[in-house]
Amino acid sequence: MRSSRQKNIVNYLMFGLTGLCTLMTAGILFFILGYLAYHGARSLNLEFFTRLPAPVGETGGGMANAIVGSAKVLFLATLIGIPIGFLGGVYLSEYGGQTFSFVIRYVTDLLNGVPSIVIGIVVYALVVHPMGHFSAIAGGVALGIMMIPISVRSTEEYLHAVPVSLREAALALGAPKWKAIVTVVIPAAIRGIVSGTMLDLARVAGETAPLLFTALSNQFWSPGWSKPTATLPVMIFTYAISPYEDWHRQAWAAGFVLLVLVLSINIIARLALARGAYVPRA
Amino acid sequence: MSTTATLDQGVAPPGGRVVSFRRRLRAGDEVAYLITLIAAGTIFLITALVFYEVFSQSALSRHKFGWSFLITSVWDPVAGTFGALPFIYGTVVTSILGLLVAVPEGIGSAIFLSEMAPPRLSNACTFLIELLAAVPSVIYGLLGIFILVPILERHVVPPLKSAFGWLPIFQGPFYGVSLFSAGIVLSIMIVPFIVSVSREVLLAVPRDQREASLALGASQWQTTWRVVVPNASSGIVGSIFLALARALGETMAVTMVIGNTPQIKASLLAPGDSIASVIANQFTEATGDLYLSALIELGLVLFGVTFVLNGLARILIIATSRKGAHS
């Protein structure tokens, strides 16, 4: 009798304890959102989106160039990372043999685990050094490489979840395999693939370390693709560690904009996934 | 795999390989196959290139200093002497500190989410934790500088010092930026990774194992602790390795709160430096090939360690989910 009661007490105790862990973990998100909204929204104004950074010592100014710069770098990254990742994912799901697929999956995971700062070094050596200067292109290549692994895995996962019967139906109608893939399998998985791409983009949108010595930064507009380019994450970093009060205010504003952007893409993509995509791991 | 086999039989006629190849070429299948194969091969090449670049670009420093690079502690760009020990020390100490907090919290949360919580609550919390994993590291750094460091300075370090001040790790003045602050920021950042991977390996433990234990009269907690967790243990260890690899390579948040002072002090309250942050801070200012090469060698060290950790983690996680699938 006593041991049974003891058992129940321990059970409730551990329920509470593990629950507390979860509360602490998930609760941090509200702290982050709260602080960013409190400090960031206060510092945010129209100037932030329309003006160039003010010279040191002057207050005011905005980060229009960094917003455009981030968009440019992310555009290039998508252009580089998504085709390779997507086609690689198609290979793994539709064509792959046993051994080579295993190797590619493993290598993809390893690439995913390479610290982002190391990617920065490599792109510096491969792109910045030969070109002779920091550029939006180099930033795009760095983030593009970082997009590949997630794109591969999500494409493979969602293609894999498409039922075999669908493919067999297409083949039975006489379609070659590639046609079956393009017109039947991929459309069936498109919601998952698009959401996966959005999540991928949201992840690299906040990356700072690989941009430090690829895109560098800029206090002015960077026309074209081959000039040092300001991006939001790098601006947050430089402004946050600066000694100027007004720059701190701007860093909060930029942080708020970045966080809202990243989290809303995440929420939209995850809701789209929850509703109606094939559940992976069939 | 069975999918591929069925499809191939559907396309290739039972005739010889040559006929089949020509037919598939005409149908466009070989072209499609080649395009995707090239993409897959590119991924392999990029990973190999990453390794090759950090290896070859660090040659100068590797030849000059040899293994002593890893065990000497003088970092003097002016004199051209480079020893990585202070950075290795800072990286290891902050990561261990991060794990000390993050592992119990993360595993506790994973157990709650997969075993104890009602499904609805579990789904909601999992969603929040996934969002947390998406918060950019520079944001953690921003909060670290302006929110966490003042909190530590005012409410955490003084009581800690009065209680444990006799320990060498809590001695000396506290300026805010320190190994301790970096460790705490890291712990917050890596919890979501431990939770999401551990939760998945726990969920992969077969249902009948749980039911058998419950049927014998064990409580939910007893079942969890004595049956489910041991079954998933190697996967949980895998999740810790993944988190450790993340912590070792984390750059921005650490750079912003660690103090960027290359020194080895027993006290956690002293400022320090880490491998990733010294690269971030000095790479663009590095003058001279040897300086640059030494920084790249630090990158090589980081790459090597995270490479091994990630590899091990994958093996452990794959092994656990296979075990779950078979039994």
Side-chain angles (χ1 to χ4, degrees):
Chain A
M1 234 26 223
R2 212 177 129 244
S3 92
S4 151
R5 186 196 275 170
Q6 210 174 2
K7 197 171 78 179
N8 282 334
I9 291 174
V10 171
N11 200 32
Y12 282 120
L13 202 70
M14 294 320 289
F15 181 85
L17 208 63
T18 55
L20 194 69
C21 286
T22 312
L23 192 68
M24 268 168 65
T25 309
I28 294 278
L29 183 67
F30 295 103
F31 273 103
I32 294 178
L33 277 174
Y35 278 119
L36 261 300
Y38 176 70
H39 291 284
R42 257 193 337 180
S43 321
L44 206 57
N45 49 27
L46 193 63
E47 278 194 355
F48 179 85
F49 296 100
T50 55
R51 291 276 200 85
L52 280 178
V56 176
E58 283 178 34
T59 55
M63 291 197 185
N65 61 337
I67 295 170
V68 174
S70 267
K72 274 160 75 174
V73 170
L74 287 175
F75 172 74
L76 278 178
T78 314
L79 222 55
I80 294 164
I82 295 301
I84 298 177
F86 173 72
L87 290 171
V90 172
Y91 174 83
L92 287 181
S93 158
E94 306 298 318
Y95 289 103
Q98 198 110 36
T99 323
F100 190 58
S101 287
F102 178 80
V103 171
I104 294 296
R105 271 189 206 105
Y106 204 76
V107 163
T108 308
D109 280 339
L110 292 179
L111 185 61
N112 194 26
V114 174
S116 54
I117 190 97
V118 174
I119 303 276
I121 293 179
V122 170
V123 174
Y124 175 87
L126 286 176
V127 183
V128 177
H129 196 64
M131 275 177 78
H133 45 82
F134 302 100
S135 64
I137 296 177
V141 171
L143 295 191
I145 292 177
M146 299 202 63
M147 286 183 83
I148 293 173
I150 297 184
S151 172
V152 172
R153 293 318 291 256
S154 70
T155 306
E156 187 198 355
E157 225 178 324
Y158 293 113
L159 287 180
H160 208 77
V162 176
V164 181
S165 53
L166 233 60
R167 293 160 223 252
E168 283 174 343
L171 294 174
L173 290 172
K177 191 173 165 184
W178 69 270
K179 213 164 196 172
I181 295 172
V182 173
T183 57
V184 176
V185 182
I186 292 174
I190 197 71
R191 191 195 279 258
I193 293 171
V194 171
S195 307
T197 305
M198 284 168 66
L199 290 177
D200 202 1
L201 198 64
R203 189 186 84 136
V204 296
E207 277 295 343
T208 316
L211 294 177
L212 288 175
F213 24 88
T214 52
L216 202 68
S217 193
N218 200 336
Q219 292 294 100
F220 307 100
W221 292 105
S222 337
W225 302 93
S226 53
K227 293 218 168 58
T229 305
T231 51
L232 271 182
V234 176
M235 287 295 248
I236 296 173
F237 173 61
T238 1
Y239 274 43
I241 59 170
S242 78
Y244 314 111
E245 200 60 43
D246 196 55
W247 281 24
H248 294 169
R249 189 183 61 77
Q250 301 245 20
W252 280 111
F256 181 60
V257 170
L258 184 66
L259 187 69
V260 167
L261 200 75
V262 167
L263 288 189
S264 29
I265 297 177
N266 259 276
I267 292 172
I268 293 170
R270 283 176 202 281
L271 287 182
L273 277 182
R275 204 174 303 163
Y278 283 104
V279 182
R281 207 181 307 117
Chain B
M1 280 308 82
S2 64
T3 322
T4 327
T6 350
L7 292 183
D8 279 344
Q9 277 158 21
V11 173
R17 211 173 135 57
V18 186
V19 180
S20 126
F21 177 76
R22 224 191 287 150
R23 238 190 160 166
R24 288 169 56 170
L25 192 62
R26 210 169 22 184
D29 255 339
E30 287 301 322
V31 180
Y33 172 74
L34 267 178
I35 292 175
T36 59
L37 180 69
I38 289 171
T42 310
I43 299 164
F44 185 86
L45 282 181
I46 288 175
T47 314
L49 198 65
V50 169
F51 174 71
Y52 173 77
E53 281 297 326
V54 281
F55 190 76
S56 68
Q57 299 282 335
S58 62
L60 202 59
S61 162
R62 275 188 294 113
H63 292 310
K64 176 126 197 254
F65 303 113
W67 290 106
S68 72
F69 181 73
L70 300 177
I71 49 170
T72 54
S73 54
V74 180
W75 184 267
D76 187 349
V78 181
T81 317
F82 298 99
L85 199 59
F87 309 110
I88 296 173
Y89 175 79
T91 306
V92 170
V93 168
T94 50
S95 299
I96 290 177
L97 193 61
L99 283 185
L100 280 181
V101 181
V103 167
E105 185 187 336
I107 294 178
S109 306
I111 288 175
F112 183 77
L113 293 174
S114 85
E115 308 296 319
M116 319 286 270
R120 226 186 224 183
L121 179 66
S122 169
N123 287 341
C125 289
T126 307
F127 185 73
L128 290 179
I129 292 172
E130 276 170 0
L131 285 185
L132 200 58
V135 173
S137 66
V138 72
I139 303 265
Y140 282 103
L142 189 66
L143 289 162
I145 294 184
F146 295 118
I147 309 294
L148 185 81
V149 163
I151 290 178
L152 290 180
E153 222 164 358
R154 234 167 288 150
H155 305 295
V156 179
V157 171
L160 213 58
K161 274 181 94 162
S162 63
F164 299 104
W166 47 276
L167 283 172
I169 53 170
F170 291 122
Q171 276 168 5
F174 181 71
Y175 303 111
V177 288
S178 62
L179 296 173
F180 185 67
S181 317
I184 299 296
V185 173
L186 276 180
S187 75
I188 296 171
M189 294 181 69
I190 59 179
V191 169
F193 297 103
I194 299 184
V195 177
S196 65
V197 180
S198 296
R199 181 181 150 268
E200 268 179 36
V201 289
L202 285 171
L203 285 173
V205 173
R207 223 187 138 69
D208 41 4
Q209 300 256 1
R210 294 188 180 90
E211 283 166 358
S213 163
L214 290 171
L216 288 171
S219 71
Q220 201 178 14
W221 172 252
Q222 285 172 325
T223 305
T224 303
W225 194 244
R226 298 201 192 146
V227 178
V228 182
V229 172
N231 249 301
S233 57
S234 58
I236 292 176
V237 174
S239 83
I240 295 171
F241 281 8
L242 278 187
L244 178 61
R246 288 241 162 216
L248 293 173
E250 175 49 44
T251 314
M252 301 321 297
V254 171
T255 307
M256 292 161 89
V257 296
I258 200 171
N260 300 310
T261 316
Q263 60 181 8
I264 302 178
K265 285 274 172 71
S267 174
L268 293 177
L269 305 180
D273 210 340
S274 82
I275 298 179
S277 44
V278 71
I279 300 174
N281 281 315
Q282 303 189 357
F283 198 85
T284 46
E285 299 155 12
T287 44
D289 290 341
L290 185 66
Y291 192 0
L292 208 58
S293 172
L295 285 171
I296 296 178
E297 188 173 355
L298 282 176
L300 179 69
V301 172
L302 202 57
F303 179 82
V305 174
T306 51
F307 194 86
V308 171
L309 278 174
N310 277 307
L312 281 177
R314 290 295 159 196
I315 292 169
L316 285 170
I317 292 168
I318 291 170
T320 321
S321 15
R322 280 224 181 117
K323 198 169 74 184
H326 279 293
S327 51

